Amino acid sequence: MRLGFAAWAAVAMIALPQASAACAQLSESVWMCDRGTAWENATWDPVGDGTTRYLGEVILNFTDQWPGFEISDSSTTLSEQFDTYTAWIAAENTTPPEVLQVDKIVTPRGLTLRHLQYDEIDGSRTMSAVMLSEVGASRIMVYLDTGDAMPLEEMEKISFEVAMMLRDSCADEITCADAIAPTTTTNE
């Protein structure tokens, strides 16, 4: 988990039961419907606070209480909230991320603001996707990190797929069905 977020995540997340084989519960109101994808077989961190999954060399972390989450209301945009988060990160870290691409992904259940960037985590340079997603009425921060040798295009593809899996419910198999029309990515 990213440095500085451990305390936030520990408070934010309680042990979340996994809803079904088709969906992984990421927060009280957000699920990752990964049936039929490589993420369906991702490994949950057995030691941590339940907010980390591993898929090979890719690490997925998530939280619904990141620095700046408390300013969320119906008039606060994802960009405004992400700016608050970015300011907090800049104050906490001496090495700023090298942002390569910023865009928005329109998903079946909401909108994701995505920053693709080189980051430094625990002294190692990483290729990262930092995504603030609005899913239904909820917002969640999702981080994907891997070694800096991963090409930008590959992280772009993986992070897009993860954003598309986010749902505001997972009550049954139909909720996570693939019968939802494809969406688009737009540069900000």
Side-chain angles (χ1 to χ4, degrees):
M1 173 157 264
R2 292 175 174 267
L3 289 177
F5 295 107
W8 283 91
V11 171
M13 303 302 290
I14 57 174
L16 296 171
Q18 297 315 309
S20 70
C23 294
Q25 190 171 7
L26 304 186
S27 74
E28 185 177 327
S29 303
V30 179
W31 284 260
M32 182 175 166
C33 297
D34 55 15
R35 184 187 57 219
T37 74
W39 286 99
E40 184 176 15
N41 299 313
T43 305
W44 285 91
D45 183 356
V47 184
D49 59 7
T51 63
T52 304
R53 296 179 80 187
Y54 300 97
L55 181 62
E57 298 295 316
V58 179
I59 302 168
L60 181 142
N61 289 294
F62 54 90
T63 182
D64 61 357
Q65 292 189 13
W66 65 92
F69 83 95
E70 65 279 351
I71 67 167
S72 181
D73 61 30
S74 61
S75 65
T76 305
T77 68
L78 287 177
S79 295
E80 290 169 335
Q81 206 164 22
F82 202 96
D83 289 346
T84 300
Y85 164 79
T86 301
W88 187 87
I89 291 296
E92 291 290 313
N93 296 316
T94 56
T95 307
E98 180 185 338
V99 179
L100 305 171
Q101 179 178 319
V102 176
D103 56 16
K104 291 182 179 176
I105 303 169
V106 179
T107 72
R109 300 288 197 275
L111 181 66
T112 295
L113 175 61
R114 173 177 67 177
H115 284 217
L116 297 170
Q117 60 196 37
Y118 288 116
D119 229 330
E120 186 172 311
I121 300 173
D122 296 333
S124 296
R125 189 171 185 223
T126 64
M127 167 58 73
S128 301
V130 180
M131 301 186 294
L132 179 55
S133 293
E134 186 170 69
V135 183
S138 300
R139 290 186 178 173
I140 191 166
M141 187 72 79
V142 178
Y143 310 95
L144 290 165
D145 299 297
T146 194
D148 66 350
M150 176 179 276
L152 173 66
E153 296 77 19
E154 184 67 17
M155 181 56 84
E156 184 176 34
K157 178 182 178 269
I158 292 169
S159 59
F160 178 83
E161 290 168 351
V162 167
M164 295 301 288
M165 289 184 240
L166 299 178
R167 301 284 189 272
D168 56 357
S169 67
C170 191
D172 53 44
E173 289 184 19
I174 295 171
T175 305
C176 292
D178 295 331
I180 298 170
T183 58
T184 59
T185 302
T186 58
N187 286 334
E188 184 166 276

